[in-house]
Amino acid sequence: MPAQSHDHAWAESSSVSQPTMRHDWSLEEIEALFALPFNDLLFRAQQMHRMHFDPNAVQVSTLLSIKTGACPEDCKYCPQSGHYNTGLGKEKLLEIEKVVEQAKAAKEAGASRFCMGAAWRSPQEKDLRVVMEMVGRVKELGLETCMTLGMVDVDQAKRLAEAGLDYYNHNLDTSPEYYGEIITTRSYADRLDTLANVREAGMKVCSGGILGMGEAPRDRAALLQQLVRLDPHPESVPINMLVKVPGTPMENVEDMDPLEFIRAIAVARILMPKSHVRLSAGREQMDESTQAMAFLAGANSIFYGDTLLTTGNPQVERDRALFDKLGLHPEPIDPNAHDARSDDEQAETALAHAIQRQRDDALFYDAARG
């Protein structure tokens, strides 16, 4: 993508006094934001966006499924659940070298963050050792790293952090009240506990939800209330539009009004002004006008590439063309991003990775059996 000339008027506005980050938004206050006239809501969201971000920069991530299918959870939206017949077979944990190749390709395509997802309830010890190696190898490429591996305890989270993992993704999915209609094999408290464990380990949090699953408008407000209560707010907040996959219980849910989806983006931006709000799953079904409106409402992060775990995502060239039309540019990796590990710890980790690569030629095994 050719270099863009950037208008940095946003930087001047960021120097004015900024509102204090709040974690105490009431449900009624959030619903009042949703009820604002559409133009007023977008105006407030855009003002908040410009206080904290370059309004024309979009953080670009690529997501790779490193282990697909046969998940024991019963999430009604998910094609990877072993409870539903979606035609998606179980796959082995990807070989480390293949993951590195994909990460290199993602970086060349303009991604600054490489996300890896595995269809597990939680990682087992043998799996954890391999994904820690993956983290280290991807970090060596100069990319930010993110993983979603299901539930993790404090020890697992700390080991992932020591391996260099920057972000851990664990979505809340929906409101506490509607959650039981979507998932029964994992509680809402389980999800909050995992997020707390990730924070305790010193990693950044990526957490959001899925809209369009038949929830009421109040559930959308309640989901955002749960996210805004996290202290600090999640650094990354993916707002997903349901992708209706044949074979899942959600395949015939009524379509969500795109303008209601944009409202949720805008409210998320107002509530969590310093977070990256990601226009996530469902972009394949959105036309350019809807995506452009999402960026105007405060979305400033996307997944880039042909697939999003197991569902479609706009192709790279389409995304580049849209960026060109809108005058957007990929957000670079922050050179001042903090790595909690000391230089000695980083050197020790790199040495351990090198020794492990020499020892282990059998990096491809069936993680689904465990």
Side-chain angles (χ1 to χ4, degrees):
M1 185 181 298
Q4 304 284 334
S5 60
H6 306 152
D7 178 6
H8 290 303
W10 64 273
E12 297 178 5
S13 68
S14 67
S15 64
V16 300
S17 62
Q18 299 175 5
T20 303
M21 297 296 106
R22 287 184 55 189
H23 303 274
D24 62 347
W25 288 83
S26 70
L27 193 56
E28 290 72 25
E29 286 178 301
I30 298 172
E31 288 182 307
L33 290 176
F34 271 99
L36 285 172
F38 189 74
N39 287 346
D40 293 347
L41 175 60
L42 262 61
F43 180 69
R44 285 187 58 175
Q46 183 64 202
Q47 284 182 308
M48 192 65 74
H49 190 184
R50 287 171 181 268
M51 282 186 182
H52 300 282
F53 292 98
D54 177 345
N56 298 310
V58 178
Q59 190 278 320
V60 175
S61 299
T62 293
L63 177 58
L64 174 69
S65 178
I66 60 173
K67 186 267 173 185
T68 302
C71 180
E73 307 285 14
D74 67 351
C75 309
K76 292 183 179 178
Y77 54 80
C78 187
Q80 301 203 63
S81 172
H83 294 256
Y84 316 122
N85 182 16
T86 64
L88 184 69
K90 68 179 181 180
E91 296 178 0
K92 299 175 181 178
L93 184 66
L94 275 186
E95 180 184 353
I96 292 175
E97 295 300 332
K98 291 183 179 180
V99 173
V100 174
E101 289 174 10
Q102 292 290 324
K104 288 179 179 177
K107 184 176 181 180
E108 291 171 1
S112 60
R113 186 180 307 162
F114 192 70
C115 305
M116 295 158 274
W120 290 320
R121 177 175 172 83
S122 60
Q124 297 186 18
E125 177 59 30
K126 63 178 181 178
D127 306 322
L128 193 65
R129 291 195 298 269
V130 177
V131 298
M132 288 170 62
E133 171 75 6
M134 289 178 182
V135 169
R137 296 290 301 280
V138 174
K139 287 280 285 187
E140 289 171 3
L141 301 176
L143 288 164
E144 292 180 324
T145 54
C146 179
M147 279 196 163
T148 178
L149 310 172
M151 295 183 291
V152 291
D153 59 29
V154 173
D155 178 68
Q156 290 172 323
K158 287 182 177 178
R159 291 172 65 188
L160 289 168
E162 289 168 0
L165 188 62
D166 297 299
Y167 288 81
Y168 195 84
N169 167 256
H170 201 64
N171 288 335
L172 295 181
D173 285 350
T174 188
S175 70
E177 295 76 18
Y178 194 63
Y179 184 82
E181 299 296 320
I182 306 299
I183 304 154
T184 65
T185 52
R186 184 188 310 181
S187 72
Y188 213 81
D190 289 335
R191 293 182 180 267
L192 292 172
D193 286 345
T194 288
L195 294 178
N197 295 339
V198 168
R199 277 294 186 213
E200 183 174 336
M203 285 185 286
K204 297 176 182 177
V205 166
C206 175
S207 187
I210 305 171
L211 307 184
M213 297 192 294
E215 74 281 352
R218 190 175 182 87
D219 291 308
R220 297 167 201 154
L223 165 65
L224 294 180
Q225 184 187 39
Q226 290 294 316
L227 293 169
V228 82
R229 282 178 173 174
L230 299 175
D231 190 1
H233 296 153
E235 285 81 3
S236 184
V237 181
I239 305 295
N240 300 274
M241 174 79 85
L242 175 68
V243 178
K244 295 185 285 188
V245 178
T248 65
M250 293 281 163
E251 65 174 305
N252 295 314
V253 173
E254 184 178 352
D255 288 342
M256 182 180 182
D257 185 334
L259 293 182
E260 292 304 308
F261 182 81
I262 300 301
R263 282 184 179 275
I265 294 278
V267 174
R269 168 54 62 215
I270 293 169
L271 298 178
M272 294 168 281
K274 291 187 177 181
S275 302
H276 280 84
V277 177
R278 177 175 296 144
L279 181 59
S280 200
R283 280 204 307 128
E284 179 74 15
Q285 287 75 44
M286 297 178 194
D287 59 24
E288 288 188 342
S289 296
T290 301
Q291 292 186 60
M293 201 174 298
F295 293 127
L296 180 64
N300 63 339
S301 178
I302 62 167
F303 278 120
Y304 201 41
D306 297 336
T307 57
L308 186 55
L309 287 182
T310 57
T311 58
N313 198 44
Q315 296 179 352
V316 169
E317 291 305 319
R318 284 175 53 192
D319 285 336
R320 286 176 175 169
L322 180 60
F323 272 36
D324 285 341
K325 286 182 182 180
L326 300 179
L328 302 175
H329 58 273
E331 179 183 275
I333 296 176
D334 182 1
N336 299 315
H338 177 65
D339 190 331
R341 302 172 300 163
S342 67
D343 292 340
D344 288 343
E345 288 173 324
Q346 293 180 56
E348 184 178 344
T349 299
L351 178 61
H353 290 159
I355 293 172
Q356 179 65 25
R357 288 198 295 275
Q358 292 176 357
R359 287 178 178 172
D360 193 357
D361 293 324
L363 299 176
F364 199 41
Y365 65 93
D366 193 346
R369 291 181 185 172

